[in-house]
Amino acid sequence: MQQREEKQLETAVESLASRVAYVKNALHSFIYKLENEYDRLTWPSVLDNFALLSGQLNTINKLLKNEKTPSFRSQVIIPLLLSPDRDEDLAKLTEQRVPVFSHEIVPDYLRTKPDPEVEEQEKQLATEGARIGPEVAQKQIQTLNKLCSSLLEKLNNPRDEREAESAALRQNKPSFNPADTNALVGAVAFGKGLSNKCRPPGPVSSGIPGQSSMMSGGPTLQQVTIGGGSGQQAPMGGPVNPQQGQPGKMPSSIKTNIKSASGSMHPYNR
């Protein structure tokens, strides 16, 4: 009975090793294509390689779940010899991946459970999952399904439809604010909305008919020399006496001085 079990175990191990060798060869071929033939590799070819690997892994799972296959969980592997020195036979069997069978690498290669860090994370996830009630979990599942359905719908839509929708959104979205535009036009054209500080001050009376608009906002001239004889000076803000012998007519020197002063002192000509 014991010999029969040992024979079944040996046969199962050989069959499993051959299946794993097929997976290894398929991986080597796929990696070689990715590294050396990436410029000629097409997406259907990549999908074919993934399908091949998936089929081989499914075959291994079926082999392990077969009733005739002995349970590997009940088998114990015990290292008989550990050495820090290089083992050429072991390196040849493992294709130079494991040249030494020492105390440092044995826990990693003969491990039957995940790493302690991974186990701790799994425990935390299990604890958080147990805290969530059935109603909350159902709501989260529905939300996730809705998001996945929306994403799949967008991916399945033709590219032309997506571009048309994005173009329509860009056209319907206004690129300016009409109220700001109207306010800017009113301020530039009619001075609407401007404060009094931005406007020139009111007109200043110069005492000379016809000159009040030209002298508006400017500083008052102090004195003007009256040509033609008298040598008297009159203030600019007061009335100017006409020259003798020509009643009602302003001397030409006064006109010239007033014109030049008004042009230089006007607030818009500074």
Side-chain angles (χ1 to χ4, degrees), residues 53-101:
L53 293 172
S54 178
Q56 291 176 348
L57 293 175
N58 289 331
T59 302
I60 292 176
N61 288 331
K62 290 180 181 179
L63 178 63
L64 294 175
K65 294 178 181 179
N66 193 357
E67 296 179 356
K68 295 182 180 181
T69 302
S71 177
F72 291 100
R73 294 180 180 274
S74 60
Q75 306 298 324
V76 179
I77 299 176
I78 301 176
L80 301 178
L81 179 61
L82 298 177
S83 175
D85 300 330
R86 180 181 177 87
D87 190 347
E88 296 297 337
D89 295 335
L90 180 62
K92 184 178 180 180
L93 289 173
T94 59
E95 298 181 355
Q96 306 299 326
R97 289 191 296 270
V98 186
V100 178
F101 201 64

Side-chain angles (χ1 to χ4, degrees), residues 91-164:
K92 184 178 180 180
L93 289 173
T94 59
E95 298 181 355
Q96 306 299 326
R97 289 191 296 270
V98 186
V100 178
F101 201 64
S102 62
H103 296 77
E104 184 179 358
I105 66 173
V106 163
D108 294 331
Y109 283 96
L110 299 184
R111 185 186 299 275
T112 58
K113 293 183 179 180
D115 294 337
E117 294 82 2
V118 177
E119 289 184 346
E120 186 66 23
Q121 292 179 0
E122 289 182 352
K123 289 181 182 179
Q124 292 178 0
L125 293 175
T127 304
E128 293 178 0
R131 293 177 182 175
I132 300 176
E135 296 180 357
V136 178
Q138 189 65 28
K139 290 181 180 179
Q140 293 181 357
I141 292 173
Q142 292 178 356
T143 304
L144 180 61
N145 291 335
K146 186 182 296 184
L147 292 175
C148 293
S149 300
S150 177
L151 181 60
L152 289 174
E153 184 178 355
K154 291 181 179 179
L155 293 176
N156 292 329
N157 285 339
R159 182 177 179 181
D160 297 337
E161 294 183 2
R162 294 197 300 269
E163 292 180 353

